[in-house]
Amino acid sequence: MKISALSLKNSICNVPIFKKNDDNWRVFGYDEGGSATRDYIRNWQTKNYIPYQDIYEKETIKSEYDLNQLLNQFHRKTGIVKNKSMTKIGLENLEQLENSNSYRGAMIRGYDTDKISQLKDAGIKRIASLMKSPELEKNCKEQGLEYLHYDLDFKDTCFENIQDIENKSRAFWQIFHKNNNDNNILETFVKKDIENWSTNTREPIERSIQFINYMQKDNIYLGCACGTYRTDLAVLLNSLFNPKANYNCSFPINKEHLKPMENLFNNLTHNDKLKLGWTKDYEKIFISKLNKLKLK
């Protein structure tokens, strides 16, 4: 008996259709093994052309709830955040960060476990809160979400300029030593202030690097209490220092906020930039981005 390649190409009822002169018709060989060989070929054909047939035969019709649960699992696994689900949660000032699966808005309250659950079901995997809330951190982690609190404050030493620190220090100590003509004493105090500033700068720099590294993971919900002023600053910071961020800030930028960004850049060491994932090319891109914002 001749064995022909089975084709479902022209069949809508899983019954192979072929003719002797059809391109799909080929002689593979001759049947020497009887029914066992035919069954083997038939099973092979089924598995290759209909690999999930057993699922359709075994699975019963699922309810709408079960289907939604399966869809939620699918979205979480593939990293897709469902925009419609996000808008239904009731988050103030909600906005998607361009070209990403991350969102910004008013931060949920720590006790609101329902909204935490809804964020997770929508596909959010991480929370970046600009306000400290041990309760929120606890409830997020209990529901399997990653959590980071970033205390963004432009008064931190990492956003200050070393020249400004030196000028302020010299002006301060000159008041107390105006009757002293020994400049060496004055310079000693100024030098000590600069050393203290430099030491205190490391902690907020490391904290900012941790925030940028966290934002590089995507699927994040970022926000402060209202999702406005401090959230704007965090989004601006991320857009400049995160080489993976690919969006333009959709809000008006206060040029006074660009100086702290420039100061932070100047305070970064080469090792700091490596931690951020920077290359020499991105350093040029950063400067270009900052200059474009200054011209707006």
Side-chain angles (χ1 to χ4, degrees), residues 80-96:
I80 299 171
V81 177
K82 296 173 288 185
N83 187 274
K84 288 185 179 180
S85 297
M86 290 293 294
T87 55
K88 291 178 181 179
I89 298 175
L91 302 165
E92 293 183 9
N93 299 311
L94 179 69
E95 184 180 344
Q96 184 173 9

Side-chain angles (χ1 to χ4, degrees), residues 54-280:
D54 60 329
I55 296 177
Y56 303 126
E57 292 174 348
K58 295 176 183 178
E59 288 284 342
T60 57
I61 298 175
K62 292 187 176 295
S63 66
E64 184 178 356
Y65 172 81
D66 290 332
L67 289 172
N68 285 333
Q69 291 296 100
L70 286 173
L71 285 172
N72 289 335
Q73 291 176 15
F74 169 77
H75 283 297
R76 285 199 290 268
K77 287 179 180 178
T78 56
I80 299 171
V81 177
K82 296 173 288 185
N83 187 274
K84 288 185 179 180
S85 297
M86 290 293 294
T87 55
K88 291 178 181 179
I89 298 175
L91 302 165
E92 293 183 9
N93 299 311
L94 179 69
E95 184 180 344
Q96 184 173 9
L97 298 183
E98 188 180 0
N99 299 316
S100 76
N101 281 312
S102 293
Y103 286 74
R104 54 162 294 177
M107 186 50 60
I108 48 180
R109 299 297 180 257
Y111 57 80
D112 201 339
T113 55
D114 287 341
K115 285 188 177 180
I116 296 174
S117 179
Q118 289 176 60
L119 281 172
K120 182 179 179 180
D121 289 340
I124 294 295
K125 298 179 180 179
R126 301 168 185 90
I127 300 296
S129 177
L130 301 175
M131 58 182 195
K132 189 173 183 179
S133 174
E135 186 178 18
L136 177 61
E137 179 178 6
K138 173 179 173 292
N139 288 331
C140 284
K141 289 182 176 179
E142 284 182 353
Q143 296 208 34
L145 295 176
E146 294 180 34
Y147 180 90
L148 176 73
H149 166 236
Y150 176 51
D151 186 13
L152 175 59
D153 189 348
F154 275 6
K155 294 180 180 179
D156 279 338
T157 52
C158 68
F159 295 109
E160 295 178 318
N161 184 289
I162 188 170
Q163 190 60 54
D164 293 338
I165 297 298
E166 182 178 345
N167 293 338
K168 288 179 183 178
S169 174
R170 182 167 281 106
F172 175 80
W173 289 113
Q174 280 177 343
I175 295 173
F176 290 94
H177 296 275
K178 59 183 178 180
N179 297 324
N180 192 331
N181 295 324
D182 189 352
N183 285 332
N184 290 332
I185 296 177
L186 175 65
E187 293 303 317
T188 299
F189 283 106
V190 172
K191 183 179 179 181
K192 186 66 175 178
D193 284 344
I194 292 175
E195 289 176 352
N196 290 337
W197 171 84
S198 180
T199 300
N200 295 332
T201 298
R202 287 315 308 168
E203 191 276 330
I205 285 179
E206 292 293 341
R207 192 168 4 107
S208 298
I209 291 173
Q210 183 186 24
F211 169 70
I212 297 299
N213 288 155
Y214 191 78
M215 292 299 293
Q216 289 174 353
K217 298 178 181 180
D218 209 4
N219 292 73
I220 295 169
Y221 183 66
L222 164 70
C224 60
C226 297
T228 50
Y229 176 71
R230 293 185 71 203
T231 305
D232 285 350
L233 297 181
V235 170
L236 175 61
L237 178 71
N238 184 60
S239 71
L240 289 171
F241 288 87
N242 183 356
K244 294 184 180 181
N246 183 25
Y247 62 83
N248 297 312
C249 296
S250 60
F251 48 87
I253 295 174
N254 188 335
K255 291 187 178 181
E256 292 181 0
H257 295 152
L258 297 179
K259 184 61 177 176
M261 300 293 174
E262 187 174 9
N263 291 340
L264 176 59
F265 167 72
N266 291 326
N267 293 330
L268 293 177
T269 65
H270 176 69
N271 191 46
D272 292 333
K273 294 171 185 176
L274 291 178
K275 289 180 181 178
L276 291 170
W278 281 31
T279 60
K280 288 183 179 180

